[in-house]
Amino acid sequence: MKTRRIKKSRLLALLVIVFIVAFLWAGGESVLRSSISKINPLPTQSPTTAITLSSVTSTWERVHRVIFLKSAIDAKLDKKSYVRLSDTPLALQQAIIAVEDSRFYHHVGFDIEGILRATLVNVQTGSYIEGGSTITQQLVKNLFLSQERTLGRKVEEFVLAIDIELRYSKEDILEMYLNTIYFGSGAYGIGEASTIYFGKPPFHLNLAECAMVAGLPNAPSLTSPYVDFAAAKQRQAVVLAAMSRNSYIGPAQAQEAKLTPILLAK
């Protein structure tokens, strides 16, 4: 146990160093240099000085977040509607993994195979269809990052994803993901989604309901059953097919779930 802790500490230290070097390489160095050269020692600061000071603060906030990750995550989680993984159906967990990150238990925060597959699909179709992001990377984005596509943001996403994998179990990561993802219709987290769509806690969702709600994060504003029920059913079929393909359920179970009536809360 002691050896494992030492190894994790060394990995974390290496991760912090890599993050700082990568951030500087991605553009942070010029920000820091201009900040240092423009800081006004007088009480009255110009708007330019305020902006550069803000940039310095932002840089060290990011480093601080990597080092003190657990406290940063705790500050972001909504404990009022938080649902433990033990209170969510196994079918829901399997549905999310099957459709969002089928190699979830085999990667360390990012999936090279998934990235290569997504790149190939996007090149073949000539459009951005697949992103290749893992559940861990999506959790990082939900908690901390904006949707901008810059090199610096991507570096931070990869570093934080690895950091999370070092500090949390896969079960913890899946639990946090389920509690932070947006399911559409104003529902953040599986607790709110289950109540808003089906009028009951997650533990009582059947396979058909699990598959439908698991399909929503892909495009929550478009596939909410309150917005477009047909689109929600199509996504449900995609999820059930993914579950069958990954051997979580059989073809007969998938077909039965497709035919199960969906009773919405409103």
Side-chain angles (χ1 to χ4, degrees):
M1 181 64 71
K2 187 175 180 181
T3 303
R4 184 178 297 177
R5 287 179 180 174
I6 292 173
K7 286 182 178 179
K8 282 195 172 184
S9 298
R10 288 176 179 173
L11 282 172
L12 178 58
L14 178 61
L15 197 63
V16 171
I17 293 170
V18 169
F19 173 67
I20 294 172
V21 171
F23 180 78
L24 294 176
W25 176 73
E29 183 177 16
S30 60
V31 172
L32 290 175
R33 284 179 177 174
S34 63
S35 300
I36 294 170
S37 64
K38 294 179 181 178
I39 289 177
N40 188 346
L42 298 176
T44 303
Q45 295 178 347
S46 66
T48 302
T49 303
I51 291 173
T52 53
L53 280 171
S54 176
S55 300
V56 172
T57 302
S58 177
T59 300
W60 293 114
E61 281 178 351
R62 289 172 174 173
V63 175
H64 183 274
R65 188 159 58 202
V66 172
I67 299 172
F68 301 102
L69 180 68
K70 288 197 171 185
S71 60
I73 288 178
D74 287 341
K76 290 286 186 177
L77 294 177
D78 181 4
K79 298 298 183 179
K80 293 181 180 178
S81 58
Y82 198 86
V83 179
R84 295 293 178 189
L85 198 65
S86 57
D87 293 324
T88 61
L90 180 59
L92 176 61
Q93 301 170 38
Q94 294 171 336
I96 286 287
I97 291 171
V99 76
E100 292 291 335
D101 184 4
S102 62
R103 286 172 45 80
F104 176 62
Y105 289 106
H106 303 285
H107 62 65
V108 290
F110 62 95
D111 183 10
I112 295 297
E113 183 178 312
I115 293 171
L116 293 176
R117 183 177 62 250
T119 302
L120 180 61
V121 170
N122 294 335
V123 168
Q124 290 176 337
T125 59
S127 59
Y128 189 80
I129 294 178
E130 294 191 17
S133 291
T134 65
I135 283 175
T136 314
Q137 287 175 272
Q138 291 180 55
L139 174 62
V140 167
K141 286 184 278 191
N142 294 340
L143 290 172
F144 302 121
L145 306 180
S146 66
Q147 296 302 315
E148 64 176 346
R149 293 182 181 179
T150 62
L151 180 58
R153 194 210 64 87
K154 199 64 181 176
V155 168
E156 187 174 11
E157 176 189 313
F158 272 78
V159 170
L160 285 171
I162 297 171
D163 198 5
I164 286 176
E165 292 275 349
L166 286 174
R167 296 173 186 249
Y168 292 91
S169 68
K170 289 289 186 178
E171 290 71 24
D172 289 335
I173 295 169
L174 182 59
E175 179 179 285
M176 290 187 290
Y177 174 84
L178 285 169
N179 280 280
T180 55
I181 197 70
Y182 183 55
F183 288 95
S185 297
Y188 285 89
I190 189 58
E192 290 185 3
S194 185
T195 300
I196 288 174
Y197 291 122
F198 307 113
K200 55 187 175 182
F203 186 77
H204 295 296
L205 296 179
N206 60 36
L207 176 58
E209 293 163 340
C210 287
M212 177 167 284
V213 78
L216 300 180
N218 177 260
S221 299
L222 301 176
T223 57
S224 163
Y226 292 138
V227 174
D228 189 338
F229 188 78
K233 285 293 291 182
Q234 289 176 350
R235 281 295 298 168
Q236 179 199 49
V238 170
V239 174
L240 291 168
M243 293 181 74
S244 178
R245 188 168 57 251
N246 286 277
S247 302
Y248 290 128
I249 59 174
Q253 285 178 286
Q255 185 60 28
E256 182 181 351
K258 286 181 189 178
L259 300 176
T260 301
I262 294 290
L263 302 177
L264 297 174
K266 59 183 180 180

